[in-house]
mmCIF file of all heavy atoms in Angstrom:
data_model
loop_
_atom_site.group_PDB
_atom_site.id
_atom_site.type_symbol
_atom_site.label_atom_id
_atom_site.label_comp_id
_atom_site.label_asym_id
_atom_site.label_seq_id
_atom_site.Cartn_x
_atom_site.Cartn_y
_atom_site.Cartn_z
ATOM 1 N N GLN A 13 122.654 99.018 99.500
ATOM 2 C CA GLN A 13 121.369 98.422 99.922
ATOM 3 C C GLN A 13 120.593 97.778 98.780
ATOM 4 O O GLN A 13 119.469 97.400 99.023
ATOM 5 C CB GLN A 13 120.503 99.493 100.584
ATOM 6 C CG GLN A 13 121.102 100.103 101.815
ATOM 7 C CD GLN A 13 121.069 99.195 103.001
ATOM 8 O OE1 GLN A 13 120.583 98.089 102.927
ATOM 9 N NE2 GLN A 13 121.627 99.636 104.106
ATOM 10 N N ARG A 14 121.126 97.752 97.570
ATOM 11 C CA ARG A 14 120.410 97.136 96.450
ATOM 12 C C ARG A 14 119.809 95.799 96.832
ATOM 13 O O ARG A 14 120.425 95.038 97.598
ATOM 14 C CB ARG A 14 121.384 96.870 95.297
ATOM 15 C CG ARG A 14 121.459 97.914 94.271
ATOM 16 C CD ARG A 14 120.192 98.006 93.416
ATOM 17 N NE ARG A 14 120.094 99.335 92.849
ATOM 18 C CZ ARG A 14 121.012 99.837 92.024
ATOM 19 N NH1 ARG A 14 122.075 99.156 91.681
ATOM 20 N NH2 ARG A 14 120.833 101.035 91.553
ATOM 21 N N GLY A 15 118.673 95.482 96.256
ATOM 22 C CA GLY A 15 118.137 94.142 96.511
ATOM 23 C C GLY A 15 116.906 94.215 97.359
ATOM 24 O O GLY A 15 116.053 95.089 97.187
ATOM 25 N N ASP A 16 116.799 93.280 98.295
ATOM 26 C CA ASP A 16 115.566 93.106 99.029
ATOM 27 C C ASP A 16 115.017 94.351 99.679
ATOM 28 O O ASP A 16 113.844 94.524 99.838
ATOM 29 C CB ASP A 16 115.768 92.080 100.168
ATOM 30 C CG ASP A 16 116.195 90.745 99.617
ATOM 31 O OD1 ASP A 16 116.060 90.579 98.393
ATOM 32 O OD2 ASP A 16 116.641 89.907 100.394
ATOM 33 N N ARG A 17 115.921 95.249 100.118
ATOM 34 C CA ARG A 17 115.450 96.357 100.917
ATOM 35 C C ARG A 17 115.260 97.599 100.074
ATOM 36 O O ARG A 17 115.147 98.712 100.573
ATOM 37 C CB ARG A 17 116.448 96.622 102.039
ATOM 38 C CG ARG A 17 116.627 95.360 102.899
ATOM 39 C CD ARG A 17 117.056 95.725 104.288
ATOM 40 N NE ARG A 17 118.400 96.265 104.321
ATOM 41 C CZ ARG A 17 119.416 95.651 104.846
ATOM 42 N NH1 ARG A 17 119.301 94.482 105.379
ATOM 43 N NH2 ARG A 17 120.595 96.248 104.869
ATOM 44 N N GLY A 18 115.244 97.454 98.755
ATOM 45 C CA GLY A 18 115.199 98.598 97.862
ATOM 46 C C GLY A 18 114.013 99.514 98.058
ATOM 47 O O GLY A 18 114.093 100.708 97.773
ATOM 48 N N GLU A 19 112.905 98.984 98.590
ATOM 49 C CA GLU A 19 111.728 99.831 98.693
ATOM 50 C C GLU A 19 111.864 100.956 99.731
ATOM 51 O O GLU A 19 110.999 101.737 99.913
ATOM 52 C CB GLU A 19 110.470 99.023 98.989
ATOM 53 C CG GLU A 19 110.462 98.289 100.309
ATOM 54 C CD GLU A 19 111.119 96.937 100.260
ATOM 55 O OE1 GLU A 19 110.485 95.943 99.911
ATOM 56 O OE2 GLU A 19 112.330 96.853 100.598
ATOM 57 N N PHE A 20 113.018 101.006 100.390
ATOM 58 C CA PHE A 20 113.201 102.051 101.385
ATOM 59 C C PHE A 20 113.647 103.368 100.768
ATOM 60 O O PHE A 20 113.797 104.343 101.458
ATOM 61 C CB PHE A 20 114.279 101.663 102.408
ATOM 62 C CG PHE A 20 113.817 100.581 103.325
ATOM 63 C CD1 PHE A 20 114.044 99.272 103.004
ATOM 64 C CD2 PHE A 20 113.131 100.894 104.473
ATOM 65 C CE1 PHE A 20 113.615 98.234 103.856
ATOM 66 C CE2 PHE A 20 112.687 99.879 105.321
ATOM 67 C CZ PHE A 20 112.923 98.551 104.996
ATOM 68 N N PHE A 21 113.909 103.385 99.480
ATOM 69 C CA PHE A 21 114.472 104.603 98.916
ATOM 70 C C PHE A 21 113.540 105.339 98.002
ATOM 71 O O PHE A 21 112.906 104.756 97.124
ATOM 72 C CB PHE A 21 115.787 104.272 98.215
ATOM 73 C CG PHE A 21 116.747 103.658 99.184
ATOM 74 C CD1 PHE A 21 117.021 102.307 99.143
ATOM 75 C CD2 PHE A 21 117.283 104.421 100.178
ATOM 76 C CE1 PHE A 21 117.839 101.723 100.073
ATOM 77 C CE2 PHE A 21 118.122 103.839 101.128
ATOM 78 C CZ PHE A 21 118.411 102.522 101.081
ATOM 79 N N THR A 22 113.451 106.621 98.224
ATOM 80 C CA THR A 22 112.570 107.465 97.397
ATOM 81 C C THR A 22 113.443 108.420 96.610
ATOM 82 O O THR A 22 114.213 109.145 97.204
ATOM 83 C CB THR A 22 111.623 108.262 98.344
ATOM 84 O OG1 THR A 22 111.036 107.338 99.272
ATOM 85 C CG2 THR A 22 110.555 108.953 97.575
ATOM 86 N N PRO A 23 113.310 108.402 95.276
ATOM 87 C CA PRO A 23 114.165 109.285 94.459
ATOM 88 C C PRO A 23 113.971 110.750 94.815
ATOM 89 O O PRO A 23 112.859 111.192 95.220
ATOM 90 C CB PRO A 23 113.680 109.000 93.031
ATOM 91 C CG PRO A 23 113.037 107.645 93.110
ATOM 92 C CD PRO A 23 112.465 107.540 94.481
ATOM 93 N N HIS A 24 115.043 111.525 94.668
ATOM 94 C CA HIS A 24 115.055 112.907 95.105
ATOM 95 C C HIS A 24 113.905 113.771 94.566
ATOM 96 O O HIS A 24 113.298 114.549 95.333
ATOM 97 C CB HIS A 24 116.416 113.555 94.801
ATOM 98 C CG HIS A 24 116.733 114.610 95.764
ATOM 99 N ND1 HIS A 24 116.457 115.930 95.548
ATOM 100 C CD2 HIS A 24 117.256 114.559 97.025
ATOM 101 C CE1 HIS A 24 116.799 116.639 96.598
ATOM 102 N NE2 HIS A 24 117.314 115.824 97.499
ATOM 103 N N PRO A 25 113.559 113.701 93.265
ATOM 104 C CA PRO A 25 112.466 114.570 92.767
ATOM 105 C C PRO A 25 111.127 114.338 93.504
ATOM 106 O O PRO A 25 110.367 115.262 93.695
ATOM 107 C CB PRO A 25 112.345 114.156 91.283
ATOM 108 C CG PRO A 25 113.680 113.560 90.943
ATOM 109 C CD PRO A 25 114.182 112.905 92.169
ATOM 110 N N LEU A 26 110.913 113.082 93.919
ATOM 111 C CA LEU A 26 109.649 112.806 94.628
ATOM 112 C C LEU A 26 109.682 113.330 96.025
ATOM 113 O O LEU A 26 108.670 113.762 96.571
ATOM 114 C CB LEU A 26 109.391 111.285 94.673
ATOM 115 C CG LEU A 26 109.220 110.600 93.338
ATOM 116 C CD1 LEU A 26 108.755 109.169 93.542
ATOM 117 C CD2 LEU A 26 108.205 111.343 92.479
ATOM 118 N N LEU A 27 110.863 113.310 96.664
ATOM 119 C CA LEU A 27 110.995 113.880 98.003
ATOM 120 C C LEU A 27 110.639 115.369 97.947
ATOM 121 O O LEU A 27 109.863 115.863 98.757
ATOM 122 C CB LEU A 27 112.451 113.751 98.505
ATOM 123 C CG LEU A 27 113.004 112.332 98.691
ATOM 124 C CD1 LEU A 27 114.496 112.356 99.045
ATOM 125 C CD2 LEU A 27 112.240 111.553 99.778
ATOM 126 N N THR A 28 111.171 116.027 96.922
ATOM 127 C CA THR A 28 110.897 117.479 96.755
ATOM 128 C C THR A 28 109.424 117.718 96.557
ATOM 129 O O THR A 28 108.816 118.598 97.176
ATOM 130 C CB THR A 28 111.701 118.006 95.549
ATOM 131 O OG1 THR A 28 113.071 117.674 95.713
ATOM 132 C CG2 THR A 28 111.559 119.514 95.400
ATOM 133 N N LEU A 29 108.814 116.925 95.652
ATOM 134 C CA LEU A 29 107.393 117.079 95.349
ATOM 135 C C LEU A 29 106.555 116.961 96.624
ATOM 136 O O LEU A 29 105.713 117.814 96.901
ATOM 137 C CB LEU A 29 106.957 115.991 94.350
ATOM 138 C CG LEU A 29 105.475 115.868 94.084
ATOM 139 C CD1 LEU A 29 104.999 117.007 93.179
ATOM 140 C CD2 LEU A 29 105.083 114.548 93.438
ATOM 141 N N MET A 30 106.818 115.936 97.411
ATOM 142 C CA MET A 30 105.975 115.666 98.571
ATOM 143 C C MET A 30 106.207 116.683 99.691
ATOM 144 O O MET A 30 105.279 117.142 100.338
ATOM 145 C CB MET A 30 106.162 114.251 99.076
ATOM 146 C CG MET A 30 105.556 113.226 98.082
ATOM 147 S SD MET A 30 105.982 111.498 98.483
ATOM 148 C CE MET A 30 105.020 111.229 99.982
ATOM 149 N N VAL A 31 107.484 117.073 99.904
ATOM 150 C CA VAL A 31 107.775 118.100 100.954
ATOM 151 C C VAL A 31 107.145 119.425 100.569
ATOM 152 O O VAL A 31 106.512 120.077 101.397
ATOM 153 C CB VAL A 31 109.291 118.182 101.163
ATOM 154 C CG1 VAL A 31 109.632 119.441 101.970
ATOM 155 C CG2 VAL A 31 109.823 116.949 101.854
ATOM 156 N N GLU A 32 107.311 119.837 99.331
ATOM 157 C CA GLU A 32 106.764 121.149 98.916
ATOM 158 C C GLU A 32 105.238 121.162 99.007
ATOM 159 O O GLU A 32 104.644 122.158 99.381
ATOM 160 C CB GLU A 32 107.198 121.459 97.463
ATOM 161 C CG GLU A 32 108.692 121.603 97.335
ATOM 162 C CD GLU A 32 109.169 123.037 97.183
ATOM 163 O OE1 GLU A 32 108.343 123.920 96.953
ATOM 164 O OE2 GLU A 32 110.390 123.243 97.278
ATOM 165 N N MET A 33 104.596 120.050 98.669
ATOM 166 C CA MET A 33 103.131 120.019 98.701
ATOM 167 C C MET A 33 102.608 119.988 100.141
ATOM 168 O O MET A 33 101.591 120.626 100.459
ATOM 169 C CB MET A 33 102.596 118.843 97.881
ATOM 170 C CG MET A 33 102.599 119.123 96.371
ATOM 171 S SD MET A 33 102.013 117.739 95.365
ATOM 172 C CE MET A 33 100.270 117.683 95.766
ATOM 173 N N ILE A 34 103.296 119.275 101.029
ATOM 174 C CA ILE A 34 102.821 119.183 102.417
ATOM 175 C C ILE A 34 103.234 120.399 103.228
ATOM 176 O O ILE A 34 102.629 120.688 104.268
ATOM 177 C CB ILE A 34 103.270 117.828 103.046
ATOM 178 C CG1 ILE A 34 102.143 117.221 103.903
ATOM 179 C CG2 ILE A 34 104.517 118.000 103.934
ATOM 180 C CD1 ILE A 34 101.168 116.411 103.186
ATOM 181 N N ASP A 35 104.250 121.132 102.788
ATOM 182 C CA ASP A 35 104.655 122.443 103.326
ATOM 183 C C ASP A 35 104.890 122.429 104.868
ATOM 184 O O ASP A 35 104.140 123.060 105.603
ATOM 185 C CB ASP A 35 103.591 123.470 102.964
ATOM 186 C CG ASP A 35 103.958 124.872 103.433
ATOM 187 O OD1 ASP A 35 105.172 125.169 103.479
ATOM 188 O OD2 ASP A 35 103.059 125.666 103.773
ATOM 189 N N PRO A 36 105.934 121.718 105.336
ATOM 190 C CA PRO A 36 106.203 121.661 106.766
ATOM 191 C C PRO A 36 106.432 123.055 107.373
ATOM 192 O O PRO A 36 107.087 123.896 106.750
ATOM 193 C CB PRO A 36 107.486 120.835 106.885
ATOM 194 C CG PRO A 36 107.606 120.097 105.576
ATOM 195 C CD PRO A 36 106.937 120.956 104.562
ATOM 196 N N GLY A 37 105.905 123.268 108.593
ATOM 197 C CA GLY A 37 106.148 124.525 109.304
ATOM 198 C C GLY A 37 107.167 124.296 110.410
ATOM 199 O O GLY A 37 107.456 123.167 110.783
ATOM 200 N N ASP A 38 107.691 125.386 110.971
ATOM 201 C CA ASP A 38 108.779 125.248 111.940
ATOM 202 C C ASP A 38 108.333 124.846 113.329
ATOM 203 O O ASP A 38 109.141 124.593 114.218
ATOM 204 C CB ASP A 38 109.601 126.537 112.015
ATOM 205 C CG ASP A 38 108.810 127.677 112.634
ATOM 206 O OD1 ASP A 38 107.564 127.628 112.520
ATOM 207 O OD2 ASP A 38 109.401 128.603 113.203
ATOM 208 N N ALA A 39 107.017 124.748 113.557
ATOM 209 C CA ALA A 39 106.538 124.347 114.885
ATOM 210 C C ALA A 39 105.687 123.082 114.770
ATOM 211 O O ALA A 39 104.854 122.801 115.594
ATOM 212 C CB ALA A 39 105.738 125.467 115.518
ATOM 213 N N GLU A 40 105.934 122.315 113.670
ATOM 214 C CA GLU A 40 105.128 121.107 113.468
ATOM 215 C C GLU A 40 105.964 119.847 113.672
ATOM 216 O O GLU A 40 107.051 119.722 113.118
ATOM 217 C CB GLU A 40 104.573 121.131 112.047
ATOM 218 C CG GLU A 40 103.552 122.240 111.837
ATOM 219 C CD GLU A 40 102.880 122.183 110.463
ATOM 220 O OE1 GLU A 40 103.548 122.206 109.446
ATOM 221 O OE2 GLU A 40 101.639 122.102 110.442
ATOM 222 N N MET A 41 105.437 118.936 114.491
ATOM 223 C CA MET A 41 106.108 117.655 114.695
ATOM 224 C C MET A 41 106.000 116.848 113.419
ATOM 225 O O MET A 41 104.903 116.624 112.868
ATOM 226 C CB MET A 41 105.423 116.896 115.848
ATOM 227 C CG MET A 41 105.728 117.458 117.211
ATOM 228 S SD MET A 41 107.494 117.432 117.663
ATOM 229 C CE MET A 41 107.822 115.684 117.840
ATOM 230 N N PHE A 42 107.165 116.378 112.939
ATOM 231 C CA PHE A 42 107.263 115.765 111.630
ATOM 232 C C PHE A 42 107.828 114.342 111.733
ATOM 233 O O PHE A 42 108.869 114.145 112.360
ATOM 234 C CB PHE A 42 108.185 116.686 110.804
ATOM 235 C CG PHE A 42 108.559 116.229 109.430
ATOM 236 C CD1 PHE A 42 107.844 115.288 108.738
ATOM 237 C CD2 PHE A 42 109.680 116.756 108.791
ATOM 238 C CE1 PHE A 42 108.204 114.873 107.472
ATOM 239 C CE2 PHE A 42 110.064 116.380 107.531
ATOM 240 C CZ PHE A 42 109.321 115.424 106.870
ATOM 241 N N LEU A 43 107.150 113.387 111.170
ATOM 242 C CA LEU A 43 107.556 111.981 111.292
ATOM 243 C C LEU A 43 107.618 111.251 109.935
ATOM 244 O O LEU A 43 106.791 111.510 109.061
ATOM 245 C CB LEU A 43 106.535 111.245 112.164
ATOM 246 C CG LEU A 43 106.648 109.704 112.249
ATOM 247 C CD1 LEU A 43 107.823 109.291 113.119
ATOM 248 C CD2 LEU A 43 105.380 109.053 112.809
ATOM 249 N N ASP A 44 108.604 110.370 109.795
ATOM 250 C CA ASP A 44 108.548 109.351 108.762
ATOM 251 C C ASP A 44 108.662 107.988 109.458
ATOM 252 O O ASP A 44 109.700 107.679 110.021
ATOM 253 C CB ASP A 44 109.686 109.494 107.752
ATOM 254 C CG ASP A 44 109.632 108.451 106.655
ATOM 255 O OD1 ASP A 44 108.834 107.482 106.777
ATOM 256 O OD2 ASP A 44 110.372 108.558 105.671
ATOM 257 N N PRO A 45 107.561 107.229 109.501
ATOM 258 C CA PRO A 45 107.558 105.971 110.245
ATOM 259 C C PRO A 45 108.201 104.804 109.509
ATOM 260 O O PRO A 45 108.275 103.708 110.030
ATOM 261 C CB PRO A 45 106.078 105.705 110.460
ATOM 262 C CG PRO A 45 105.373 106.395 109.334
ATOM 263 C CD PRO A 45 106.242 107.543 108.935
ATOM 264 N N ALA A 46 108.690 105.040 108.278
ATOM 265 C CA ALA A 46 109.462 104.021 107.556
ATOM 266 C C ALA A 46 110.599 104.758 106.863
ATOM 267 O O ALA A 46 110.657 104.856 105.628
ATOM 268 C CB ALA A 46 108.549 103.330 106.515
ATOM 269 N N CYS A 47 111.533 105.301 107.687
ATOM 270 C CA CYS A 47 112.368 106.355 107.165
ATOM 271 C C CYS A 47 113.536 105.940 106.280
ATOM 272 O O CYS A 47 114.183 106.767 105.651
ATOM 273 C CB CYS A 47 112.866 107.278 108.293
ATOM 274 S SG CYS A 47 114.008 106.475 109.431
ATOM 275 N N GLY A 48 113.830 104.633 106.231
ATOM 276 C CA GLY A 48 114.892 104.180 105.325
ATOM 277 C C GLY A 48 116.171 104.964 105.545
ATOM 278 O O GLY A 48 116.658 105.104 106.659
ATOM 279 N N SER A 49 116.691 105.566 104.478
ATOM 280 C CA SER A 49 117.953 106.309 104.608
ATOM 281 C C SER A 49 117.732 107.779 104.987
ATOM 282 O O SER A 49 118.639 108.583 104.946
ATOM 283 C CB SER A 49 118.773 106.238 103.339
ATOM 284 O OG SER A 49 118.080 106.905 102.291
ATOM 285 N N GLY A 50 116.495 108.141 105.313
ATOM 286 C CA GLY A 50 116.233 109.494 105.852
ATOM 287 C C GLY A 50 115.951 110.548 104.824
ATOM 288 O O GLY A 50 115.999 111.745 105.135
ATOM 289 N N GLY A 51 115.605 110.178 103.590
ATOM 290 C CA GLY A 51 115.387 111.155 102.541
ATOM 291 C C GLY A 51 114.332 112.198 102.863
ATOM 292 O O GLY A 51 114.549 113.428 102.663
ATOM 293 N N PHE A 52 113.154 111.766 103.377
ATOM 294 C CA PHE A 52 112.103 112.733 103.687
ATOM 295 C C PHE A 52 112.491 113.659 104.854
ATOM 296 O O PHE A 52 112.188 114.844 104.844
ATOM 297 C CB PHE A 52 110.796 112.006 104.076
ATOM 298 C CG PHE A 52 110.042 111.495 102.891
ATOM 299 C CD1 PHE A 52 109.831 110.111 102.722
ATOM 300 C CD2 PHE A 52 109.514 112.375 101.949
ATOM 301 C CE1 PHE A 52 109.157 109.636 101.625
ATOM 302 C CE2 PHE A 52 108.812 111.904 100.846
ATOM 303 C CZ PHE A 52 108.643 110.515 100.672
ATOM 304 N N LEU A 53 113.186 113.076 105.846
ATOM 305 C CA LEU A 53 113.566 113.840 107.023
ATOM 306 C C LEU A 53 114.526 114.975 106.654
ATOM 307 O O LEU A 53 114.394 116.109 107.042
ATOM 308 C CB LEU A 53 114.159 112.942 108.092
ATOM 309 C CG LEU A 53 113.286 111.768 108.520
ATOM 310 C CD1 LEU A 53 114.016 110.916 109.549
ATOM 311 C CD2 LEU A 53 111.951 112.225 109.094
#
């Protein structure tokens, strides 16, 4: 996917940082509205 669509990818350390800080629970509806390759999900 290199090139024009590169902004869809979030490096792994940042995924970890954001998930740990937002702390998803098991009964919470969770969305990524620009999910790219699905890293956050």
Side-chain angles (χ1 to χ4, degrees):
Q13 298 287 358
R14 266 290 157 61
D16 300 346
R17 302 205 292 248
E19 64 275 274
F20 289 91
F21 302 105
T22 310
H24 210 266
L26 297 188
L27 298 174
T28 306
L29 171 75
M30 290 172 69
V31 166
E32 297 254 349
M33 282 178 69
I34 220 83
D35 183 31
D38 67 334
E40 293 186 304
M41 287 298 291
F42 174 21
L43 170 73
D44 180 349
C47 68
S49 66
F52 282 116
L53 304 179

